[in-house]
């Protein structure tokens, strides 16, 4: 039996919404649901200053609302199936890359169907073009956009199973109950869901499901990742673990600059004769090599002698690119001449998304069909691009979505899948294509560098205005999320205009200011063509940088007012929920306690994706040893304590929420203190985690606590990214406080020649696209 959705009804005089669910045709029970939406009334802000801020677009309608509303027209195409073994199956039209959404949706179904959690099977759906915008993963929106239709489907399934049970027992359905996968009659008769699935599938009368408050029998309880044991024991199959007949290891020899192309290969025939090599050929992104093992692929790639045509930004460096970015800043309107003006400009370097799993895909291209296996957050867009590339109808292409080993914006684009398709078509054989870690770091999509100008004005005892001009290298938004906001504008002939318009629109519906600072003016501009550099919406997109800049300006304001960071924020926040978060982290983290010289505290606040989060951090900037060699490797700011508190509405899985905050903490520390790429001669120098300085064990706080505030609203916030920006801001402020001088460039180690920022020495080996570039500094 499968269950689907019809149209929603808004009952008068009640806070509970009513929906229609109905049964799909089939031999087992399947239900769907159709959910329409009426916007909530805007809540009055609980301001504490005499100059309330004007609302920004994200205060009323943010990116999560955009994704939810784009999903509504095709929600009726989703279904939950009750199988003969009594298990409920749901093909989730989203991508799970570690954010535990398969676990959370299993909790939703288990509670509303009254079925054991372990009897719910949530798997990732293959690409389904008919879903249109309802198979896009990003912006922490998965639960928010789908929880209501999934609840309706589960409630409808439970109702139809009770109706089937009543029919079998010859009693009225009002006398039926359910209990953990069984329908119970008035005399105590118990019938398993599986035994009723076929009969229930014949009951086609639509059911008016009323969504009341979440009961919290399963939703709201902490569950571990359903895949955790399999991942820890190596039983979980990621794309490189799949055994596809005939698919042999394949790698690509790449240019020594962004988007460089092959001009000539001098020794193609010789490389074809190397041990294990089966195929070598030119594809648009380089020279593809197929061999018996990945080691043999690497040997062949190193042996290739290639002349490369120019790339898009040959000869460019981080400095030259950031100069171009800074020159594209939009002007600010003149400040009030009678006000005190505080200004600062903050620079953020380019950084890699750097997921655990490098870009990878399997492709089997035939004359009249193609099958692809890959982790993808935009599988419909990927399928459509592949179909167009191969000149095949879309229904001749199958794109299987595989769980990803991290994404951080990387898997918004089907880069590896497209390369695998090109190689498979060229060789006429299945391929298992993987990017080497060095390729992933140097050619993989990254977060563009950016410059943020902040200005605040003070009049009397009030902050009378706040202005932000955020200027970034172009963020490529042609992956599908942008199309939700701009239709086909991104893919139009004038793609540059479309991409910029989408970026500006996205910025406006994610960027918020949680303080009453009077007139608020936040604007974005971007430069470069969107495909000049391999860019993407890396985890949390603009917010880590804009939040660091904003919260550092808040510190300037606090100093101007003669207040510490905690009391100043508490005085200017917009609402009591933010106050409660600040109070909680200040209490738990012992704000204001006496600290030795070189150790500092900080506090920061952020609001995004219908969540509010505060972070207290302590940072030790003292040398940890007198041993010079060790000090060169590890001396520098070390975060020793981090306390985070989040108001996420009604969390479905507090354990998963805490995991997201933990990952966000590591990202935030990295963004502000250690992680960036140094671009020289048109390509990053960093080639692996040996020299891309993501947060290390020595810089991970020993004391952490992640506090999920009690549920205070039925709304489900999106927490996949919200912890990053606040952690980055807290780390930046703590470093600034420890140094006793303003920090204006991030990560703070970027220009330091010694200490924990020593640039590692890559072994002196012949230059090759995989290993070749050495640090010249």
């Amino acid at each position: 039996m499968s269950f689907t959705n019809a149209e929603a009804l808004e009952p008068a005089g009640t806070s509970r919404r009513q929906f229609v669910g109905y049964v799909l045709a089939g031999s087992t029970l399947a239900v769907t649901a159709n959910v329409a939406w009426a916007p909530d009334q805007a809540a009055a802000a609980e301001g504490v200053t005499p100059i309330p801020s004007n609302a920004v677009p994200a205060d009323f309608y943010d990116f999560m609302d955009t994704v939810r509303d784009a999903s509504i027209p095709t929600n009726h195409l989703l279904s939950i199936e009750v199988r003969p073994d009594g298990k409920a199956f749901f093909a989730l039209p989203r991508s799970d890359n570690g954010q535990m959404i398969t676990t959370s949706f299993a909790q939703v179904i288990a509670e509303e169907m009254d079925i054991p959690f372990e009897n719910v099977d949530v798997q990732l759906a293959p690409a389904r073009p008919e879903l249109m915008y309802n198979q896009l993963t990003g912006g922490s929106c998965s639960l928010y956009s789908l929880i209501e239709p999934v609840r309706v489907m589960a409630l409808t399934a439970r109702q139809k199973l009770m109706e089937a049970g009543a029919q079998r027992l010859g009693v009225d359905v009002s006398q039926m109950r359910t209990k953990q996968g069984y329908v119970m009659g008035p005399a105590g008769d118990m019938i398993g869901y599986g035994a009723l699935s076929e009969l229930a599938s014949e009951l086609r009368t639509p059911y008016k499901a009323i969504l009341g408050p979440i009961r919290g029998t399963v939703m709201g309880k902490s569950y571990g990742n359903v895949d955790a044991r399999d991942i820890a024991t190596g039983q979980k199959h990621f794309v490189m673990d799949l055994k596809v007949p005939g698919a042999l290891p394949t790698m690509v020899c790449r240019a020594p600059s962004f988007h460089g192309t092959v001009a000539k290969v001098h020794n193609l025939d010789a490389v074809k004769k190397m041990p294990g090599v089966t195929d070598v050929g030119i594809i648009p992104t380089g020279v593809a090599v197929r061999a018996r093992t990945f080691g043999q692929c690497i040997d062949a790639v190193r042996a290739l002698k290639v002349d490369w045509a120019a790339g898009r930004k040959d000869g460019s460096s981080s400095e030259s690119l950031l100069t171009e970015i800074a020159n594209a800043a939009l002007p600010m309107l003149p400040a009030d001449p009678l006000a005190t003006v505080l200004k600062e400009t903050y620079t953020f370097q380019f950084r890699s998304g750097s997921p655990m799993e490098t870009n990878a895909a399997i492709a089997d291209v035939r004359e009249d069909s193609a099958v692809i296996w890959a982790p993808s957050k935009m599988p419909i867009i990927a399928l459509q691009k592949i179909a167009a590339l191969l000149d095949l109808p879309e229904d001749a292409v199958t794109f299987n979505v595989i769980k990803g080993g991290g994404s951080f914006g990387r898997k918004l684009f089907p880069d590896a899948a497209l390369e695998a398709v090109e190689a498979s078509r060229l060789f006429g054989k299945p391929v298992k294509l993987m990017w080497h870690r060095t390729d992933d770091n140097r050619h993989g999509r990254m977060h563009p560098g950016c410059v943020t100008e902040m200005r605040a004005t003070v009049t009397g005892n009030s902050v009378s205005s706040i202005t932000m001009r955020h200027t970034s290298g172009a963020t490529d938004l042609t992956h599908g999320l942008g199309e939700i906001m701009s239709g086909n504008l991104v893919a139009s002939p004038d793609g540059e205009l479309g991409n910029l318009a989408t970026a500006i629109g996205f910025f406006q519906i994610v960027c918020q200011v949680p303080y009453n600072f009077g007139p608020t003016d936040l604007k974005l501009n971007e430069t470069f063509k969107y495909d000049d550099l391999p860019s993407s919406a890396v985890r949390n997109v603009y917010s880590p940088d804009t939040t660091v800049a904003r919260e550092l300006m808040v510190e300037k304001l606090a100093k101007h007012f003669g207040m510490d960071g905690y009391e100043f924020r508490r005085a200017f926040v917009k609402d009591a929920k933010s106050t409660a978060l600040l109070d909680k982290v200040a209490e738990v983290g012992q704000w204001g306690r006496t600290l030795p010289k070189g150790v500092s505290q900080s506090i920061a606040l952020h609001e995004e994706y219908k969540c509010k989060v505060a972070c207290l951090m302590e940072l030790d900037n003292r040398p940890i040893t007198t041993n010079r060699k060790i000090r060169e490797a590890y001396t520098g700011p070390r975060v020793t304590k981090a306390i985070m508190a989040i108001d996420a509405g009604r969390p479905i899985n507090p354990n998963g929420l805490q995991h997201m905050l933990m990952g966000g903490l590591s990202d935030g520390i990295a963004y502000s203190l250690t992680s960036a790429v140094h671009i020289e001669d048109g390509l990053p120098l960093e080639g692996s985690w040996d020299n891309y300085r993501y947060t290390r064990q020595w810089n991970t706080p020993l004391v952490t606590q992640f506090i999920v505030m009690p549920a205070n609203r039925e709304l489900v916030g999106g927490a996949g990214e919200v912890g990053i920006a606040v952690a980055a801001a807290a780390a930046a402020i703590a470093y600034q406080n420890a140094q006793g001088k303003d920090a204006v460039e991030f990560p703070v180690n970027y220009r330091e020649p010694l200490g924990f920022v020593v640039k590692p020495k890559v072994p002196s080996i012949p230059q090759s696209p995989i290993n070749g570039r050495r640090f010249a500094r």
Side-chain angles (χ1 to χ4, degrees), residues 595-679:
L595 297 169
K597 186 177 181 180
V599 180
S600 65
Q601 277 189 329
S602 66
I603 197 165
L605 181 69
H606 184 54
E607 178 178 2
E608 191 174 11
Y609 300 129
K610 305 194 186 300
C611 292
K612 300 174 189 291
V613 60
C615 179
L616 178 144
M617 196 172 283
E618 290 185 4
L619 179 144
D620 189 341
N621 199 39
R622 301 171 298 178
I624 62 174
T625 177
T626 57
N627 183 295
R628 183 179 62 82
K629 290 185 177 180
I630 297 177
R631 187 170 67 246
E632 286 181 352
Y634 296 105
T635 298
R638 299 173 305 286
V639 178
T640 56
K641 177 193 285 187
I643 310 296
M644 299 180 76
I646 186 168
D647 181 334
R650 181 175 288 279
I652 299 303
N653 184 357
N655 180 53
L657 178 53
Q658 291 171 326
H659 288 182
M660 292 301 100
L661 292 177
M662 189 179 299
L665 172 65
S666 292
D667 276 354
I669 291 171
Y671 291 178
S672 286
L673 302 184
T674 61
S675 293
V677 294
H678 293 73
I679 298 172

Side-chain angles (χ1 to χ4, degrees), residues 25 36 83 104 190 211 224 270 279 428 487 675 684 715:
R83 293 178 166 174
S104 296
M190 297 180 68
L211 292 186
D279 302 272
S675 293
L715 190 69

